[in-house]
Structures are given as structure tokens and as C-alpha cells.
Amino acid sequence: MGASIQYFLSGLSIGGVYALLALGFSMMWSVARAANFNHGDIFMVGGMGTVVFLGLGLPVWVSAVLAILIATIAGALIERFLIRPFNREPNSVGWMLTTVAIGVMIVGASTALLGSAARPLPSPLMDEPLRIGGAGIFPQELLLPAVAVLTTLALYLFQSRTHLGRAIRAVAANRTAAELMGIDADRVTLYVFAVAGGLGALAGFLVAPVIQASTTIGLAFGLKAFMVAIIAGITNPAGVVIVALVFGVVERFIEGYFSTSARDAVGFSIMILVLLAFPQGIFARKEVAKV
């Protein structure tokens, strides 16, 4: 029983990371029908950036804020120069190729400068584990799903109660109609990509004390988060978070009762089966197009 609780709690922890990254994919896709495919590398910036600034003698919170700020600016720049120019046609895939390419460049450059070795990020929340039903888990790990849920609620309130939030919803619902109503859809999209970058970096900062930061951790997390978003129905933020948490738990049970090597093989197989059953996503909203 204690082992099952352990797998469940640690699964919620890693699911919180997937949730924050998948929320970014959901936001980007909703307003642009495109996404930053190096979102996992932006996630890496949150962890590694904090470690680097901390090594320069800055306090940990200042280091984290600087890393998240850099990722936020990077998200905006990627949208402006790598996605917007290639996303003017309905079936364009140029944005996909450019974001993948810039991701390879980010990983290559950061590995050349910082090396590929994992680096620890100290946190007081990793000093003493909590005991729950015979299982032990650090407060830092519980922080991840809590932040994911709170972020989802904050985004909902922001989109329903602020002028910019309502503009984001309008662009997501119908970009052309929003522009006809005087909304600057390009500016809204820029803001959304910036916020998505910041969320990705926040996830990287929060998980770094748990798994250690490295320049190569972004690929697997980014790929799984994108798959989670697709399975959930990428335009449904609440559904994205639910599926991310469930997937994290499933991964940990596979790892615990089978093996670490079986985790990804079985996990992706389950994803494919779910997509066959729900091609539009489990929580997908029906979209009606008038012609």
C-alpha cells in the first residue's frame, strides 16, 4: 500500500511539470493554431538559467526571476520572428520547422557553454520529506501539481475578468472576427507566447531541485507535454491539466511495477490507443465552422 501511495504522489509531481508545459502549448495553439516546438528548451532555461545565475552569486529567487524573464522574452521573440512570418497560410508548417531548428540551436549552444552534466539546485523544500500513508515525498514535489492547478485557476480568472483576458478569448474563438472588432490579434498572440514561455521556465525552475537541471532535459518533457495536450483536447486548459496529472501517475506506476525502460514505451503506447479512441482529444470542444 505504501508503494502505491508513493507512486501516486510522485506521479502527481511529475504530472504537474507536464501540466505547466502543456498549458503553454494549449495557450499558444488556441490563439495562433501554431506552437513553439522548442517549448521544452524554454523549460530547460528556467532550471539551468537559475542554476547559472545562482552560481554567479545572486540569491535563488532573483536568479529564478531572471531566468523566467529571459524565457518570457524568448517566447515573445520566437513568436514574432519565427512563427508569425511562417503562419500566414492555413496549412503552413514553416513555423514548425523553424521552431524545431531554433530548439536544436539552443540545446547545442547551451551544451557547448555549460556542458551536459546535470547540476543541482538547492531548495529548503527538499530538506525533509513528508510522511503520508507510509510514503515519503518532499514538499518541493507537492508544489508542482499545486502550482499547476493554481495557475489554471488564475488563467481562468484572468481570461474572464480582464480586458486582455477577454481579448485572448476572442482571438482564440475567432481571430478574424476579433480583428474586425478592433482587437490587435498579433499583439495578443505575442503576449500569449510570452506568458507560455514564462510558464515553461517556471516549471523548469520548480522541478530542478527534484531531478537536477541539465541542458538536455527539455526534449522529453516537451514531447510528452505536447502529446498530453493533444490527448486532452489542446484548447481545453482544464482538461490538459487533468490528463497531465493522470499521465504522470500512470508513468510512475509503470515505472514502479515494471521498469524504467518500459515507462516510455508503455506510456506512449497508451497515448496512441487513447488517440485512436478520441481523435480530437478527450476533452475536445466541438468547433463549428460556417461556410
Side-chain angles (χ1 to χ4, degrees), residues 216-259:
T216 58
I217 62 173
L219 178 60
F221 277 99
L223 178 59
K224 290 178 182 179
F226 183 70
M227 288 290 289
V228 161
I230 295 296
I231 289 172
I234 195 168
T235 57
N236 189 322
V240 163
V241 172
I242 291 171
V243 172
L245 295 176
V246 170
F247 180 70
V249 172
V250 169
E251 267 200 334
R252 281 297 179 259
F253 272 94
I254 294 171
E255 185 177 326
Y257 288 110
F258 293 95
S259 67

Side-chain angles (χ1 to χ4, degrees), residues 81-289:
F81 296 107
L82 298 177
I83 292 180
R84 189 185 304 178
F86 301 98
N87 195 34
R88 295 302 185 185
E89 299 298 327
N91 298 316
S92 172
V93 295
W95 56 267
M96 185 186 303
L97 300 177
T98 56
T99 55
V100 169
I102 198 67
V104 173
M105 294 168 62
I106 291 173
V107 172
S110 57
T111 302
L113 290 172
L114 305 172
S116 59
R119 303 189 186 189
L121 178 62
S123 170
L125 298 181
M126 292 293 291
D127 292 339
E128 186 70 26
L130 301 174
R131 300 295 176 182
I132 303 175
I137 188 167
F138 292 101
Q140 184 78 29
E141 296 178 86
L142 293 178
L143 186 62
L144 287 159
V147 169
V149 172
L150 291 174
T151 299
T152 306
L153 293 174
L155 287 174
Y156 172 77
L157 292 174
F158 173 76
Q159 291 186 357
S160 60
R161 299 189 179 184
T162 67
H163 178 73
L164 178 57
R166 288 191 288 269
I168 292 172
R169 292 176 60 188
V171 173
N174 190 314
R175 188 182 187 91
T176 302
E179 289 176 334
L180 291 174
M181 295 298 294
I183 295 174
D184 189 340
D186 285 340
R187 180 176 296 180
V188 167
T189 303
L190 184 74
Y191 292 157
V192 167
F193 272 73
V195 172
L199 283 179
L202 175 63
F205 161 65
L206 292 176
V207 79
V210 180
I211 63 173
Q212 298 194 347
S214 75
T215 59
T216 58
I217 62 173
L219 178 60
F221 277 99
L223 178 59
K224 290 178 182 179
F226 183 70
M227 288 290 289
V228 161
I230 295 296
I231 289 172
I234 195 168
T235 57
N236 189 322
V240 163
V241 172
I242 291 171
V243 172
L245 295 176
V246 170
F247 180 70
V249 172
V250 169
E251 267 200 334
R252 281 297 179 259
F253 272 94
I254 294 171
E255 185 177 326
Y257 288 110
F258 293 95
S259 67
T260 303
S261 58
R263 178 190 61 201
D264 290 342
V266 177
F268 280 113
S269 297
I270 292 173
M271 283 184 169
I272 292 171
L273 292 175
V274 173
L275 278 176
L276 288 173
F278 302 94
Q280 302 300 319
I282 298 173
F283 299 100
R285 298 167 180 165
K286 293 183 178 180
E287 296 185 4
V288 179

